[in-house]
Amino acid sequence: MSPPGDPIASQDACPAPRDLRLILASASPRRRELIGRLGIVPHAVMAADIDETAHAREIPREYARRMAREKALTVNAGDAHVLAGDTVVACGRRILPKAEDETTARACLALLSGRRHRVLSAIALKSPEGLLRERLSETIVHFKSLTAEEIDSYIAGGEWDGKAGGYAIQGSAEGLITSISGSHSGVVGLPLYETRALLRAAGFALA
């Protein structure tokens, strides 16, 4: 495994449209798959190694924006553009953690059960000259009231591992969600409408 910050060259990578090069500042396979839907294959993938601790009294919206900015600014990409993103699950002003163990995942699911919450997906695009463009997607997600058996079953499947808020909407959790208002791709990890707008503004030729 390459250490954080090391470029992982794509075996099938090709230059972005108009010979603009793009580095994806994330090791997330979900973000790489999503950006591929726009017809973009990143020149390289570089995981941004930053401190993701929220500041005291930092609200979820500003936290998501700051994380995306810091990730983009951390990556030294030479003559390439850098695209970075961060996805935050929030209940009110509370930022839910990434679930690294079953206890955390259970606590998140219990909190989300039967209620609406917000998913904030921020993206930042840094140009080779250092110009930073930013966008934010906000989506409302509503979980059904979860039974103990449903939580047990979801935990047993392991999809929660490393996921903000303890769930992945692209998996079986979607069967527990009664409604979503906003960007589905933003909840997965990269809001495609906002990403397309940023790339087009930077000169990438997208349909």
Side-chain angles (χ1 to χ4, degrees), residues 179-195:
S179 66
I180 174 173
S181 177
S183 171
H184 185 278
S185 62
V187 181
V188 177
L190 189 72
L192 291 183
Y193 177 82
E194 289 78 4
T195 300

mmCIF file with all atom_site columns, all heavy atoms in Angstrom, residues 179-195:
data_model
loop_
_atom_site.group_PDB
_atom_site.id
_atom_site.type_symbol
_atom_site.label_atom_id
_atom_site.label_alt_id
_atom_site.label_comp_id
_atom_site.label_asym_id
_atom_site.label_entity_id
_atom_site.label_seq_id
_atom_site.pdbx_PDB_ins_code
_atom_site.Cartn_x
_atom_site.Cartn_y
_atom_site.Cartn_z
_atom_site.occupancy
_atom_site.B_iso_or_equiv
_atom_site.pdbx_formal_charge
_atom_site.auth_seq_id
_atom_site.auth_comp_id
_atom_site.auth_asym_id
_atom_site.auth_atom_id
_atom_site.pdbx_PDB_model_num
ATOM 1   N N   . SER A 1 179 ? -37.093 8.503  2.378   1.00 0.00 ? 179 SER A N   1
ATOM 2   C CA  . SER A 1 179 ? -37.054 9.587  1.404   1.00 0.00 ? 179 SER A CA  1
ATOM 3   C C   . SER A 1 179 ? -35.686 10.244 1.391   1.00 0.00 ? 179 SER A C   1
ATOM 4   O O   . SER A 1 179 ? -34.936 10.189 2.365   1.00 0.00 ? 179 SER A O   1
ATOM 5   C CB  . SER A 1 179 ? -38.127 10.646 1.706   1.00 0.00 ? 179 SER A CB  1
ATOM 6   O OG  . SER A 1 179 ? -37.845 11.310 2.928   1.00 0.00 ? 179 SER A OG  1
ATOM 7   N N   . ILE A 1 180 ? -35.389 10.853 0.246   1.00 0.00 ? 180 ILE A N   1
ATOM 8   C CA  . ILE A 1 180 ? -34.153 11.610 0.091   1.00 0.00 ? 180 ILE A CA  1
ATOM 9   C C   . ILE A 1 180 ? -34.475 12.824 -0.757  1.00 0.00 ? 180 ILE A C   1
ATOM 10  O O   . ILE A 1 180 ? -35.141 12.715 -1.789  1.00 0.00 ? 180 ILE A O   1
ATOM 11  C CB  . ILE A 1 180 ? -33.029 10.760 -0.536  1.00 0.00 ? 180 ILE A CB  1
ATOM 12  C CG1 . ILE A 1 180 ? -31.788 11.628 -0.832  1.00 0.00 ? 180 ILE A CG1 1
ATOM 13  C CG2 . ILE A 1 180 ? -33.465 10.034 -1.758  1.00 0.00 ? 180 ILE A CG2 1
ATOM 14  C CD1 . ILE A 1 180 ? -30.582 10.828 -1.299  1.00 0.00 ? 180 ILE A CD1 1
ATOM 15  N N   . SER A 1 181 ? -34.048 13.994 -0.310  1.00 0.00 ? 181 SER A N   1
ATOM 16  C CA  . SER A 1 181 ? -34.276 15.228 -1.040  1.00 0.00 ? 181 SER A CA  1
ATOM 17  C C   . SER A 1 181 ? -32.931 15.903 -1.279  1.00 0.00 ? 181 SER A C   1
ATOM 18  O O   . SER A 1 181 ? -32.315 16.416 -0.339  1.00 0.00 ? 181 SER A O   1
ATOM 19  C CB  . SER A 1 181 ? -35.208 16.167 -0.248  1.00 0.00 ? 181 SER A CB  1
ATOM 20  O OG  . SER A 1 181 ? -35.379 17.396 -0.923  1.00 0.00 ? 181 SER A OG  1
ATOM 21  N N   . GLY A 1 182 ? -32.471 15.846 -2.534  1.00 0.00 ? 182 GLY A N   1
ATOM 22  C CA  . GLY A 1 182 ? -31.166 16.414 -2.842  1.00 0.00 ? 182 GLY A CA  1
ATOM 23  C C   . GLY A 1 182 ? -30.373 15.489 -3.742  1.00 0.00 ? 182 GLY A C   1
ATOM 24  O O   . GLY A 1 182 ? -30.932 14.802 -4.601  1.00 0.00 ? 182 GLY A O   1
ATOM 25  N N   . SER A 1 183 ? -29.069 15.450 -3.517  1.00 0.00 ? 183 SER A N   1
ATOM 26  C CA  . SER A 1 183 ? -28.148 14.720 -4.387  1.00 0.00 ? 183 SER A CA  1
ATOM 27  C C   . SER A 1 183 ? -27.825 13.334 -3.841  1.00 0.00 ? 183 SER A C   1
ATOM 28  O O   . SER A 1 183 ? -27.169 13.201 -2.815  1.00 0.00 ? 183 SER A O   1
ATOM 29  C CB  . SER A 1 183 ? -26.846 15.520 -4.545  1.00 0.00 ? 183 SER A CB  1
ATOM 30  O OG  . SER A 1 183 ? -25.870 14.758 -5.208  1.00 0.00 ? 183 SER A OG  1
ATOM 31  N N   . HIS A 1 184 ? -28.256 12.293 -4.557  1.00 0.00 ? 184 HIS A N   1
ATOM 32  C CA  . HIS A 1 184 ? -27.920 10.926 -4.160  1.00 0.00 ? 184 HIS A CA  1
ATOM 33  C C   . HIS A 1 184 ? -26.415 10.716 -4.252  1.00 0.00 ? 184 HIS A C   1
ATOM 34  O O   . HIS A 1 184 ? -25.795 10.147 -3.351  1.00 0.00 ? 184 HIS A O   1
ATOM 35  C CB  . HIS A 1 184 ? -28.650 9.922  -5.047  1.00 0.00 ? 184 HIS A CB  1
ATOM 36  C CG  . HIS A 1 184 ? -28.460 8.499  -4.657  1.00 0.00 ? 184 HIS A CG  1
ATOM 37  N ND1 . HIS A 1 184 ? -27.352 7.753  -5.025  1.00 0.00 ? 184 HIS A ND1 1
ATOM 38  C CD2 . HIS A 1 184 ? -29.222 7.664  -3.899  1.00 0.00 ? 184 HIS A CD2 1
ATOM 39  C CE1 . HIS A 1 184 ? -27.445 6.537  -4.534  1.00 0.00 ? 184 HIS A CE1 1
ATOM 40  N NE2 . HIS A 1 184 ? -28.576 6.449  -3.851  1.00 0.00 ? 184 HIS A NE2 1
ATOM 41  N N   . SER A 1 185 ? -25.799 11.200 -5.339  1.00 0.00 ? 185 SER A N   1
ATOM 42  C CA  . SER A 1 185 ? -24.350 11.029 -5.480  1.00 0.00 ? 185 SER A CA  1
ATOM 43  C C   . SER A 1 185 ? -23.591 11.789 -4.401  1.00 0.00 ? 185 SER A C   1
ATOM 44  O O   . SER A 1 185 ? -22.509 11.375 -3.983  1.00 0.00 ? 185 SER A O   1
ATOM 45  C CB  . SER A 1 185 ? -23.885 11.479 -6.868  1.00 0.00 ? 185 SER A CB  1
ATOM 46  O OG  . SER A 1 185 ? -24.145 12.854 -7.086  1.00 0.00 ? 185 SER A OG  1
ATOM 47  N N   . GLY A 1 186 ? -24.162 12.905 -3.925  1.00 0.00 ? 186 GLY A N   1
ATOM 48  C CA  . GLY A 1 186 ? -23.538 13.635 -2.831  1.00 0.00 ? 186 GLY A CA  1
ATOM 49  C C   . GLY A 1 186 ? -23.502 12.826 -1.551  1.00 0.00 ? 186 GLY A C   1
ATOM 50  O O   . GLY A 1 186 ? -22.524 12.875 -0.800  1.00 0.00 ? 186 GLY A O   1
ATOM 51  N N   . VAL A 1 187 ? -24.562 12.065 -1.299  1.00 0.00 ? 187 VAL A N   1
ATOM 52  C CA  . VAL A 1 187 ? -24.583 11.215 -0.111  1.00 0.00 ? 187 VAL A CA  1
ATOM 53  C C   . VAL A 1 187 ? -23.569 10.084 -0.256  1.00 0.00 ? 187 VAL A C   1
ATOM 54  O O   . VAL A 1 187 ? -22.921 9.685  0.711   1.00 0.00 ? 187 VAL A O   1
ATOM 55  C CB  . VAL A 1 187 ? -26.003 10.657 0.142   1.00 0.00 ? 187 VAL A CB  1
ATOM 56  C CG1 . VAL A 1 187 ? -26.025 9.792  1.403   1.00 0.00 ? 187 VAL A CG1 1
ATOM 57  C CG2 . VAL A 1 187 ? -27.002 11.798 0.285   1.00 0.00 ? 187 VAL A CG2 1
ATOM 58  N N   . VAL A 1 188 ? -23.404 9.571  -1.467  1.00 0.00 ? 188 VAL A N   1
ATOM 59  C CA  . VAL A 1 188 ? -22.400 8.533  -1.701  1.00 0.00 ? 188 VAL A CA  1
ATOM 60  C C   . VAL A 1 188 ? -20.991 9.074  -1.481  1.00 0.00 ? 188 VAL A C   1
ATOM 61  O O   . VAL A 1 188 ? -20.123 8.380  -0.948  1.00 0.00 ? 188 VAL A O   1
ATOM 62  C CB  . VAL A 1 188 ? -22.535 7.955  -3.127  1.00 0.00 ? 188 VAL A CB  1
ATOM 63  C CG1 . VAL A 1 188 ? -21.441 6.926  -3.395  1.00 0.00 ? 188 VAL A CG1 1
ATOM 64  C CG2 . VAL A 1 188 ? -23.909 7.311  -3.320  1.00 0.00 ? 188 VAL A CG2 1
ATOM 65  N N   . GLY A 1 189 ? -20.762 10.356 -1.858  1.00 0.00 ? 189 GLY A N   1
ATOM 66  C CA  . GLY A 1 189 ? -19.441 10.919 -1.594  1.00 0.00 ? 189 GLY A CA  1
ATOM 67  C C   . GLY A 1 189 ? -18.952 11.986 -2.550  1.00 0.00 ? 189 GLY A C   1
ATOM 68  O O   . GLY A 1 189 ? -17.961 12.652 -2.274  1.00 0.00 ? 189 GLY A O   1
ATOM 69  N N   . LEU A 1 190 ? -19.662 12.183 -3.697  1.00 0.00 ? 190 LEU A N   1
ATOM 70  C CA  . LEU A 1 190 ? -19.231 13.203 -4.646  1.00 0.00 ? 190 LEU A CA  1
ATOM 71  C C   . LEU A 1 190 ? -20.455 13.718 -5.402  1.00 0.00 ? 190 LEU A C   1
ATOM 72  O O   . LEU A 1 190 ? -20.994 13.019 -6.255  1.00 0.00 ? 190 LEU A O   1
ATOM 73  C CB  . LEU A 1 190 ? -18.208 12.633 -5.638  1.00 0.00 ? 190 LEU A CB  1
ATOM 74  C CG  . LEU A 1 190 ? -17.530 13.647 -6.545  1.00 0.00 ? 190 LEU A CG  1
ATOM 75  C CD1 . LEU A 1 190 ? -16.540 14.496 -5.765  1.00 0.00 ? 190 LEU A CD1 1
ATOM 76  C CD2 . LEU A 1 190 ? -16.805 12.946 -7.699  1.00 0.00 ? 190 LEU A CD2 1
ATOM 77  N N   . PRO A 1 191 ? -20.908 14.947 -5.116  1.00 0.00 ? 191 PRO A N   1
ATOM 78  C CA  . PRO A 1 191 ? -22.093 15.471 -5.801  1.00 0.00 ? 191 PRO A CA  1
ATOM 79  C C   . PRO A 1 191 ? -21.779 15.780 -7.262  1.00 0.00 ? 191 PRO A C   1
ATOM 80  O O   . PRO A 1 191 ? -21.013 16.696 -7.568  1.00 0.00 ? 191 PRO A O   1
ATOM 81  C CB  . PRO A 1 191 ? -22.423 16.745 -5.007  1.00 0.00 ? 191 PRO A CB  1
ATOM 82  C CG  . PRO A 1 191 ? -21.107 17.183 -4.428  1.00 0.00 ? 191 PRO A CG  1
ATOM 83  C CD  . PRO A 1 191 ? -20.344 15.919 -4.157  1.00 0.00 ? 191 PRO A CD  1
ATOM 84  N N   . LEU A 1 192 ? -22.350 15.021 -8.181  1.00 0.00 ? 192 LEU A N   1
ATOM 85  C CA  . LEU A 1 192 ? -21.949 15.100 -9.571  1.00 0.00 ? 192 LEU A CA  1
ATOM 86  C C   . LEU A 1 192 ? -22.368 16.404 -10.248 1.00 0.00 ? 192 LEU A C   1
ATOM 87  O O   . LEU A 1 192 ? -21.640 16.918 -11.109 1.00 0.00 ? 192 LEU A O   1
ATOM 88  C CB  . LEU A 1 192 ? -22.493 13.906 -10.349 1.00 0.00 ? 192 LEU A CB  1
ATOM 89  C CG  . LEU A 1 192 ? -21.850 12.563 -9.984  1.00 0.00 ? 192 LEU A CG  1
ATOM 90  C CD1 . LEU A 1 192 ? -22.405 11.450 -10.863 1.00 0.00 ? 192 LEU A CD1 1
ATOM 91  C CD2 . LEU A 1 192 ? -20.337 12.627 -10.125 1.00 0.00 ? 192 LEU A CD2 1
ATOM 92  N N   . TYR A 1 193 ? -23.519 16.960 -9.909  1.00 0.00 ? 193 TYR A N   1
ATOM 93  C CA  . TYR A 1 193 ? -23.927 18.224 -10.520 1.00 0.00 ? 193 TYR A CA  1
ATOM 94  C C   . TYR A 1 193 ? -22.927 19.321 -10.172 1.00 0.00 ? 193 TYR A C   1
ATOM 95  O O   . TYR A 1 193 ? -22.449 20.058 -11.048 1.00 0.00 ? 193 TYR A O   1
ATOM 96  C CB  . TYR A 1 193 ? -25.330 18.617 -10.043 1.00 0.00 ? 193 TYR A CB  1
ATOM 97  C CG  . TYR A 1 193 ? -25.784 19.951 -10.575 1.00 0.00 ? 193 TYR A CG  1
ATOM 98  C CD1 . TYR A 1 193 ? -26.328 20.070 -11.849 1.00 0.00 ? 193 TYR A CD1 1
ATOM 99  C CD2 . TYR A 1 193 ? -25.642 21.110 -9.809  1.00 0.00 ? 193 TYR A CD2 1
ATOM 100 C CE1 . TYR A 1 193 ? -26.725 21.298 -12.353 1.00 0.00 ? 193 TYR A CE1 1
ATOM 101 C CE2 . TYR A 1 193 ? -26.027 22.343 -10.297 1.00 0.00 ? 193 TYR A CE2 1
ATOM 102 C CZ  . TYR A 1 193 ? -26.575 22.433 -11.567 1.00 0.00 ? 193 TYR A CZ  1
ATOM 103 O OH  . TYR A 1 193 ? -26.949 23.661 -12.057 1.00 0.00 ? 193 TYR A OH  1
ATOM 104 N N   . GLU A 1 194 ? -22.591 19.440 -8.902  1.00 0.00 ? 194 GLU A N   1
ATOM 105 C CA  . GLU A 1 194 ? -21.654 20.467 -8.462  1.00 0.00 ? 194 GLU A CA  1
ATOM 106 C C   . GLU A 1 194 ? -20.249 20.206 -8.998  1.00 0.00 ? 194 GLU A C   1
ATOM 107 O O   . GLU A 1 194 ? -19.527 21.137 -9.380  1.00 0.00 ? 194 GLU A O   1
ATOM 108 C CB  . GLU A 1 194 ? -21.635 20.544 -6.935  1.00 0.00 ? 194 GLU A CB  1
ATOM 109 C CG  . GLU A 1 194 ? -22.893 21.123 -6.305  1.00 0.00 ? 194 GLU A CG  1
ATOM 110 C CD  . GLU A 1 194 ? -24.053 20.140 -6.236  1.00 0.00 ? 194 GLU A CD  1
ATOM 111 O OE1 . GLU A 1 194 ? -23.865 18.964 -6.617  1.00 0.00 ? 194 GLU A OE1 1
ATOM 112 O OE2 . GLU A 1 194 ? -25.145 20.538 -5.816  1.00 0.00 ? 194 GLU A OE2 1
ATOM 113 N N   . THR A 1 195 ? -19.852 18.937 -9.050  1.00 0.00 ? 195 THR A N   1
ATOM 114 C CA  . THR A 1 195 ? -18.530 18.592 -9.569  1.00 0.00 ? 195 THR A CA  1
ATOM 115 C C   . THR A 1 195 ? -18.424 18.949 -11.047 1.00 0.00 ? 195 THR A C   1
ATOM 116 O O   . THR A 1 195 ? -17.420 19.517 -11.502 1.00 0.00 ? 195 THR A O   1
ATOM 117 C CB  . THR A 1 195 ? -18.250 17.093 -9.367  1.00 0.00 ? 195 THR A CB  1
ATOM 118 O OG1 . THR A 1 195 ? -18.306 16.787 -7.960  1.00 0.00 ? 195 THR A OG1 1
ATOM 119 C CG2 . THR A 1 195 ? -16.881 16.715 -9.902  1.00 0.00 ? 195 THR A CG2 1
#
